[in-house]
Amino acid sequence: MTSSPAAREGAEPAATGGGAIPRHVAIIMDGNGRWAAKRGLPRAAGHRAGAEAVRATLRAAADAGVEVLTLYAFSSENWRRSEEEVTDLKGLLAYYVEKELETLHREGVRLLLIGDPKPFGPHLMERLHRAVEKTAGNKRLTLVVALNYGSRAEIANAARKLAEEAVEGSRDIASIDEQAIGAALDTADLPELDLLIRTSGEVRLSNFLLWQAAYAELLFVDTLWPDFDAKAFNDAISQFAGRQRRFGGR
């Protein structure tokens, strides 16, 4: 899956709207802890309920014709949470990958990873890589899971890579432009980001896809992530379809 011609060549995309389906949707899945607290449950219960919301959203995205769904599963800042919560999150991720792999494959979902999942340990890394390899040929929907991901680190890594190429002599410094940086990011082979959703009422990007969101439509909803379902996703798609995207033009 490659970036759009407009993105590759530096041209401004045409204005869109009026019923369009976004090719690439990203979600900051926020509110698991508050969902659990409202019910007097431990935070782990909120994370488990959030995993159920992932299933519903995946299905809704595929049914709507979305090509790529990117989920902010674990940020590079999440390591600051309690050791117990981090352990719960890692365990849930391992369980989800193991339990859902066959379903993802059967439903034509391709799994990709962005970020740096190595700190999760070799056992989970092996499961993740097995899932990526098993689903590599699937074409119905690409599920991108951001693990130990931070957008500032991603951009810094891209800049470092381009600087190293310039020092080695394999790249002309003058060729380091927006397109070169975009091509060095984790998302280089994905369509441009069209819609970014954040749940739970928080109104910030939290170091997620900062470069990619430059011209994306942003949607902040009050729904806590475990309550986000197919209807909520379809409502978001409808709002996107009703917007007029001009990419800096009039």
Side-chain angles (χ1 to χ4, degrees):
M1 204 171 283
T2 58
S3 301
S4 65
R8 290 195 300 270
E9 296 168 11
E12 282 194 356
T16 61
I21 297 296
R23 294 181 66 195
H24 185 176
V25 177
I27 305 179
I28 300 173
M29 306 179 292
D30 194 15
N32 290 347
R34 274 168 283 171
W35 183 92
K38 285 174 63 175
R39 291 160 176 79
L41 299 171
R43 290 180 69 89
H47 295 313
R48 286 193 292 270
E52 294 296 328
V54 170
R55 293 189 183 96
T57 302
L58 260 175
R59 191 171 297 113
D63 290 345
V66 171
E67 293 179 29
V68 178
L69 178 66
T70 298
L71 301 179
Y72 204 8
F74 194 98
S75 78
S76 53
E77 289 79 23
N78 284 158
W79 296 107
R80 301 172 188 167
R81 297 185 179 186
S82 71
E83 183 177 350
E84 180 183 3
E85 185 174 359
V86 170
T87 299
D88 285 340
L89 284 167
K90 290 165 65 176
L92 180 61
L93 177 60
Y95 174 78
Y96 184 86
V97 170
E98 196 71 29
K99 188 172 184 292
E100 296 295 316
L101 177 55
E102 288 303 324
T103 300
L104 293 175
H105 188 49
R106 184 171 62 252
E107 295 186 359
V109 177
R110 177 176 68 139
L111 177 66
L112 292 179
L113 305 174
I114 61 174
D116 179 19
K118 291 191 294 296
F120 286 102
H123 183 59
L124 182 53
M125 282 291 297
E126 181 183 351
R127 291 186 181 187
L128 290 168
H129 284 308
R130 186 167 68 243
V132 169
E133 290 174 0
K134 185 177 181 67
T135 62
N138 295 338
K139 301 184 183 301
R140 185 182 180 205
L141 173 73
T142 296
L143 170 63
V144 183
V145 180
L147 289 174
N148 192 29
Y149 172 88
S151 189
R152 288 179 173 179
E154 178 192 26
I155 295 169
N157 289 339
R160 189 179 304 110
K161 175 183 176 183
L162 296 173
E164 289 172 352
E165 291 175 357
V167 169
E168 293 167 354
S170 60
R171 174 179 291 277
D172 185 347
I173 291 178
S175 73
I176 300 178
D177 54 13
E178 292 182 18
Q179 284 66 48
I181 294 173
L185 297 175
D186 293 354
T187 55
D189 293 328
L190 300 174
E192 293 289 310
L193 181 62
D194 294 312
L195 173 63
L196 192 153
I197 304 166
R198 180 170 187 149
T199 62
S200 88
E202 300 292 343
V203 187
R204 58 181 180 273
L205 297 183
S206 295
N207 200 19
F208 183 52
L209 300 180
L210 301 180
W211 180 279
Q212 296 85 344
Y215 281 106
E217 294 296 310
L218 307 181
L219 180 61
F220 300 97
V221 299
D222 291 332
T223 307
L224 299 175
W225 175 247
D227 292 326
F228 195 86
D229 54 15
K231 181 182 183 304
F233 184 84
N234 290 328
D235 286 347
I237 297 300
S238 294
Q239 289 195 50
F240 172 85
R243 295 184 182 183
Q244 192 71 24
R245 304 179 70 201
R246 297 188 182 278
F247 302 96
R250 293 184 177 180

